[in-house]
Amino acid sequence: MNNVLRENNSQLPLEVWAGVECTVNRVGDEYLDQLERNGHATRLNDLNLFAELGIKAIRYPVLWEKIAPNGLENADWSWTDERLGRLQELGICPIVGLVHHGSGPRDTSLVDAEFPDKLAVFARAVADRYPWVTYYTPVNEPLTTARFSGMYGHWYPHGRDELTFARALLGECRAVALAMKAIREVNPSAQLVQTEDLGKIYSTPKLEYQAEFENDRRWLSLDLLCGRINPNHSMWGYLQNCGISEAELETFLQNTCPPDIIGINHYLTSERFLDEHIENYPPLTHGGNGREKYADVEAVRVCAEGLAGPRTLLLETWERYHLPLAVTEAHISCTREEQLRWLYEVWNAAQELQAEGVDIRAVTVWALLGSYDWNSLVTKADGYYEPGVFDLRSRSVSSKELPHPRPTAIAKMVQHLANGHQPNHPLLETPGWWHRQQRLLYPAVSCRRKNSQISKTDESTNNPKSKIQNPKLIRPLAIVGARGTLGKAFARLCEVRGISYHLLTRQEMDITDPASVDAMFTQLKPWAVVNAAGYVRVDDAEREPHVCIQVNAEGPGILAAACAEHNVPLLTFSSDLVFDGAVSNPYVETDTVSPLNVYGCSKVLAEKLVLQAYPAALVIRTSAFFGPWDEYNFVTIALRQLSAGNSFVAAEDGIVSPTYVPDLVHASLDLLIDGECGLWHLANKSAIAWADLARLAAKQAGVSVTNLISVPTEQLGLTAPRPIYSVLGSSRGEFMPSLDNAISRYLEERI
């Protein structure tokens, strides 16, 4: 196991590593534990899934707070015994982490003078128990953790001053050095993989001094470990001004602990821009340094040239230290294709640098199981989830309640990279949003010149990936249904997501005509097809069933057969009206269909024809659309009528699960990109009567419901019978936000 990770570059292929988000950070007296949130704490079989990716190594937790919260004499090693043993069996090299954004057990903290010695004692115990483990990260991202804990007050001990920051940082770095010394007494060949987030700071000319200072400070943890901070170093005086003694600094000069591998963690939000023109930015971004007031914003949102990016930051690190490198976290919280684009960009940057002679060992696919609440910097447990290589919003077959890691498209990419294959998904041909014009939320400013000024250009001319490639060279997503609400929503959101598409009118392709469908494939050569067309007039279908059946069932069947012939993924939609409402619990995908009307019958037949012709098709049942971009959905009409003081009649007994169209489109696209197939239910989580839906929307909009009239469904005079209960649940997973959340966003989108 000691030789799994190579000892020198020697032109060996770039490796794929992985990592589980395992933060256990303290906020006040509460510990926020990612391993409990993501369920890995109780799922040993996850390791088998990780092994199937083909990864060489994994950043893995043996966390001080979890193993020995009440002292080593009371330590419980059972969890790590089992997990590390299994990793050994699977041939995956663990890079063991001891503190991951934490501060240790309750009897210590980052500013405890004894923190380094205490961690070293724990580290020695780990090495004694697992002498075969060679790679360690005693403290993850010391600088970032010190900033969040000692400067910004987010995490324990919640300091908000320079001295607490400096004490925390020096304590962490001293702990790394002592921990590695203790480990090497057991295993002399033990290697330090030291991680850090190396964001870059840009500014206006007036604030160049602040940017220069922060860009020097970003190297602090690595410079301390490498013994670089001496009286000639720019940070020597700063640390002394913080309250650190010369003797404390000299300790690092006398006890160096340079990393064997420097791990760079880089996120799109890590690069910042400082601007004294605070009027251009929201109040939340306003701050200062005691001398100037300025806004601190994400550079990607304002810098005309775009970000420095992973290639530049890796090269800067190499030129500064000339020590082996690895990307130890590659992750973005975004839509699936953007996650793929970011990982691929990081991978390509690492490969390019390796070809140029930089000793870079690996790219680490981060957050295998996703992560929780990083949108609030893990300061509270709101349940905000970012999927990763696996998506935990799925259900296991054996238990509908337990999360089950479902491999996403990222998993397929990891397998390709690990096996030496280049990914070739058409969506990779478009640059990520961080290269596209939509990224700019503020007036564009040049960030690379001494005299920064407003720039009218969006992207750097020397960045070959800064412009979307010629659309004619990119295979589009074919969207059927140009005039419908759903088709238009797909087109709008594909535009936002950078997904090349072609929105097809019936004149361009008639799905009931096999020749017309075949011609479309020949002309467009789409990488996938979305069928968002259909006959939607439920009551009229009772009078013209043949038309409804032809459009809703026969057409999708013809389209599915063509997709199967061309081996092109298909996404098509069905309805909650395939059910009769004879139950009182949400319907799941395996429940028996029994439609009450012609429209429902057409959807049942469509499902049968599509999946018979093309079992790999993705068929999504959904219900009760509402959205911000059309004027004819139930919620929009209800608010319009009630706002005008008109009466509005709605059923008080028909229980549905309303679906916010943007959420439906995003979730559907992610499942399509992931290569999912078969029947899925997608609706915003709820069970609500139509009248109560109008009432809920009106309440959130501040509209009076005085003129809302609730009546039984039978009094509405509908031609087609409807199920009284048609709520959609799922045995496959819940990917949609709550109804309350959806209505809030609906109201914001319409403004």
Side-chain angles (χ1 to χ4, degrees):
M1 185 64 68
N2 291 352
N3 296 319
V4 171
L5 303 189
R6 62 179 182 267
E7 294 184 1
N8 54 65
N9 187 34
S10 65
Q11 301 303 310
L12 292 175
L14 195 65
E15 293 180 351
V16 180
W17 299 350
V20 178
E21 170 54 46
C22 57
T23 295
V24 177
N25 65 301
R26 185 175 174 183
V27 178
D29 289 328
E30 181 184 6
Y31 282 90
L32 301 176
D33 187 337
Q34 292 280 331
L35 293 172
E36 296 294 335
R37 301 291 301 281
N38 63 34
H40 184 61
T42 58
R43 286 195 312 267
L44 177 64
N45 284 340
D46 287 356
L47 300 182
N48 296 334
L49 296 177
F50 302 164
E52 290 171 5
L53 298 173
I55 58 175
K56 297 291 186 182
I58 186 169
R59 294 184 60 199
Y60 205 72
V62 180
L63 299 181
W64 188 14
E65 294 96 331
K66 290 182 71 70
I67 303 302
N70 301 307
L72 269 177
E73 64 277 9
N74 299 307
D76 181 357
W77 300 97
S78 58
W79 191 86
T80 48
D81 284 350
E82 187 174 40
R83 265 85 183 158
L84 292 183
R86 185 68 184 127
L87 287 173
Q88 195 174 23
E89 292 171 1
L90 292 168
I92 300 175
C93 177
I95 303 169
V96 165
L98 306 181
V99 174
H100 198 99
H101 291 315
S103 53
R106 294 187 184 277
D107 67 347
T108 190
S109 78
L110 298 181
V111 294
D112 175 8
E114 296 181 8
F115 177 84
D117 294 294
K118 291 177 178 179
L119 181 59
V121 171
F122 177 71
R124 173 63 186 257
V126 173
D128 281 337
R129 195 168 189 91
Y130 311 111
W132 55 271
V133 171
T134 298
Y135 296 87
Y136 286 87
T137 303
V139 179
N140 175 63
E141 292 188 0
L143 182 67
T144 300
T145 303
R147 285 167 47 224
F148 286 10
S149 301
M151 187 178 290
Y152 307 144
H154 298 320
W155 302 336
Y156 190 81
H158 303 290
R160 293 180 179 274
D161 59 89
E162 301 277 7
L163 177 57
T164 306
F165 158 73
R167 285 259 175 253
L169 178 62
L170 266 67
E172 290 175 291
C173 292
R174 183 71 179 139
V176 170
L178 292 181
M180 289 309 299
K181 180 181 178 182
I183 290 166
R184 284 169 175 154
E185 289 172 358
V186 178
N187 182 354
S189 62
Q191 304 279 291
L192 170 61
V193 180
Q194 186 54 60
T195 59
E196 196 58 270
D197 184 335
L198 290 179
K200 199 174 179 71
I201 309 298
Y202 310 94
S203 74
T204 60
K206 184 176 182 179
L207 293 169
E208 278 183 5
Y209 73 94
Q210 183 66 29
E212 184 177 351
F213 163 74
E214 294 193 30
N215 281 326
D216 284 346
R217 188 174 63 185
R218 67 187 170 134
W219 303 106
L220 257 178
S221 59
L222 296 172
D223 279 359
L224 282 165
L225 291 170
C226 291
R228 284 171 161 256
I229 297 186
N230 57 36
N232 298 320
H233 193 286
S234 61
M235 290 288 106
W236 179 273
Y238 163 72
L239 290 170
Q240 286 192 307
N241 289 336
C242 289
I244 303 300
S245 70
E246 187 172 319
E248 290 176 272
L249 295 177
E250 287 178 345
T251 298
F252 287 92
L253 291 173
Q254 297 160 7
N255 300 276
T256 61
C257 185
D260 296 285
I261 298 174
I262 295 177
I264 302 303
N265 302 342
H266 179 60
Y267 291 85
L268 288 170
T269 57
S270 298
E271 297 183 48
R272 313 294 298 181
F273 180 74
L274 310 180
D275 191 343
E276 71 274 12
H277 301 103
I278 60 176
E279 67 276 6
N280 291 333
Y281 308 96
L284 184 65
T285 67
H286 296 178
N289 57 12
R291 173 177 162 187
E292 320 262 11
K293 289 184 177 179
Y294 51 79
D296 180 338
V297 298
E298 298 169 358
V300 69
R301 297 301 189 182
V302 67
C303 286
E305 301 89 346
L307 298 174
R311 190 186 193 283
T312 298
L313 293 176
L314 286 165
L315 186 58
E316 286 180 353
T317 308
W318 170 252
E319 291 175 343
R320 187 179 184 94
Y321 299 104
H322 283 279
L323 291 172
L325 305 178
V327 176
T328 39
E329 290 182 20
H331 170 72
I332 180 177
S333 174
C334 205
T335 54
R336 191 75 75 243
E337 71 285 348
E338 300 288 31
Q339 291 181 309
L340 294 172
R341 290 164 181 161
W342 177 245
L343 175 58
Y344 198 41
E345 183 169 325
V346 173
W347 179 266
N348 286 334
Q351 277 199 321
E352 289 170 12
L353 289 173
Q354 190 187 60
E356 294 169 15
V358 175
D359 186 357
I360 182 163
R361 307 294 178 80
V363 170
T364 305
V365 185
W366 189 242
L368 283 171
L369 299 171
S371 58
Y372 288 86
D373 295 314
W374 272 100
N375 63 326
S376 66
L377 299 178
V378 203
T379 55
K380 48 192 175 182
D382 288 340
Y384 178 84
Y385 176 67
E386 305 169 23
V389 180
F390 297 90
D391 192 328
L392 293 179
R393 294 172 298 176
S394 302
R395 300 283 175 75
S396 66
V397 176
S398 59
S399 172
K400 295 180 181 180
E401 300 305 320
L402 295 177
H404 177 67
R406 180 183 65 84
T408 67
I410 308 171
K412 298 179 181 68
M413 177 181 275
V414 172
Q415 289 174 324
H416 274 92
L417 296 175
N419 289 312
H421 304 307
Q422 289 295 103
N424 59 358
H425 198 292
L427 292 176
L428 294 175
E429 296 172 2
T430 301
W433 68 261
W434 52 98
H435 290 299
R436 304 197 302 268
Q437 186 173 5
Q438 71 185 67
R439 67 185 177 78
L440 294 169
L441 299 183
Y442 312 112
V445 177
S446 175
C447 297
R448 303 284 166 80
R449 284 174 272 174
K450 278 289 183 182
N451 298 312
S452 299
Q453 54 186 294
I454 299 297
S455 170
K456 294 181 180 179
T457 60
D458 174 51
E459 305 290 347
S460 170
T461 55
N462 62 7
N463 182 352
K465 292 188 176 182
S466 65
K467 301 181 187 302
I468 295 179
Q469 298 177 24
N470 185 347
K472 292 182 180 179
L473 303 178
I474 299 175
R475 294 172 62 194
L477 175 68
I479 304 171
V480 185
R483 294 183 179 177
T485 296
L486 193 54
K488 291 177 180 177
F490 266 97
R492 178 189 289 262
L493 292 177
C494 281
E495 193 77 37
V496 171
R497 291 175 62 155
I499 297 176
S500 179
Y501 67 91
H502 189 99
L503 188 56
L504 291 159
T505 64
R506 189 169 184 180
Q507 288 68 39
E508 291 178 283
M509 186 188 74
D510 181 355
I511 63 172
T512 65
D513 179 357
S516 177
V517 172
D518 224 34
M520 182 276 291
F521 278 96
T522 301
Q523 181 180 355
L524 283 186
K525 296 180 173 58
W527 68 267
V529 176
V530 173
N531 178 28
Y535 186 108
V536 297
R537 303 187 307 277
V538 177
D539 289 315
D540 288 347
E542 299 296 309
R543 293 185 286 270
E544 46 183 20
H546 59 289
V547 177
C548 179
I549 295 293
Q550 184 184 40
V551 174
N552 280 359
E554 294 172 6
I558 292 169
L559 185 60
C563 286
E565 181 182 347
H566 292 274
N567 195 29
V568 170
L570 170 65
L571 163 63
T572 190
F573 291 88
S574 187
S575 167
D576 60 327
L577 296 184
V578 300
F579 299 112
D580 61 11
V583 301
S584 57
N585 293 313
Y587 285 101
V588 298
E589 291 85 352
T590 54
D591 284 336
T592 303
V593 295
S594 180
L596 300 178
N597 52 47
V598 170
Y599 177 86
C601 288
S602 74
K603 290 298 185 180
V604 169
L605 181 57
E607 293 174 4
K608 179 180 178 181
L609 294 176
V610 166
L611 292 174
Q612 279 182 346
Y614 194 17
L618 174 61
V619 180
I620 291 176
R621 291 180 183 144
T622 187
S623 73
F625 283 179
F626 72 100
W629 305 314
D630 76 281
E631 296 299 317
Y632 303 105
N633 65 78
F634 176 88
V635 171
T636 299
I637 295 171
L639 291 179
R640 184 167 61 237
Q641 293 298 318
L642 294 173
S643 297
N646 300 328
S647 61
F648 183 76
V649 181
E652 64 186 5
D653 54 348
I655 310 298
V656 293
S657 46
T659 304
Y660 187 48
V661 171
D663 289 345
L664 174 65
V665 171
H666 282 307
S668 300
L669 282 171
D670 283 351
L671 289 174
L672 178 66
I673 294 167
D674 286 344
E676 293 294 346
C677 62
L679 281 168
W680 289 72
H681 287 182
L682 290 182
N684 293 93
K685 191 174 182 180
S686 63
I688 191 170
W690 288 104
D692 289 335
L693 174 59
R695 195 170 286 111
L696 177 63
K699 180 181 178 181
Q700 288 202 26
V703 173
S704 171
V705 293
T706 302
N707 294 326
L708 176 63
I709 302 171
S710 302
V711 300
T713 301
E714 62 183 19
Q715 293 184 20
L716 294 177
L718 301 174
T719 302
R722 265 70 162 186
I724 292 300
Y725 184 95
S726 61
V727 174
L728 295 178
S730 179
S731 61
R732 304 192 72 172
E734 292 181 350
F735 302 93
M736 307 273 277
S738 69
L739 178 61
D740 281 353
N741 179 279
I743 289 177
S744 296
R745 286 179 290 115
Y746 160 83
L747 294 171
E748 292 171 2
E749 288 278 349
R750 287 187 61 80
I751 294 174

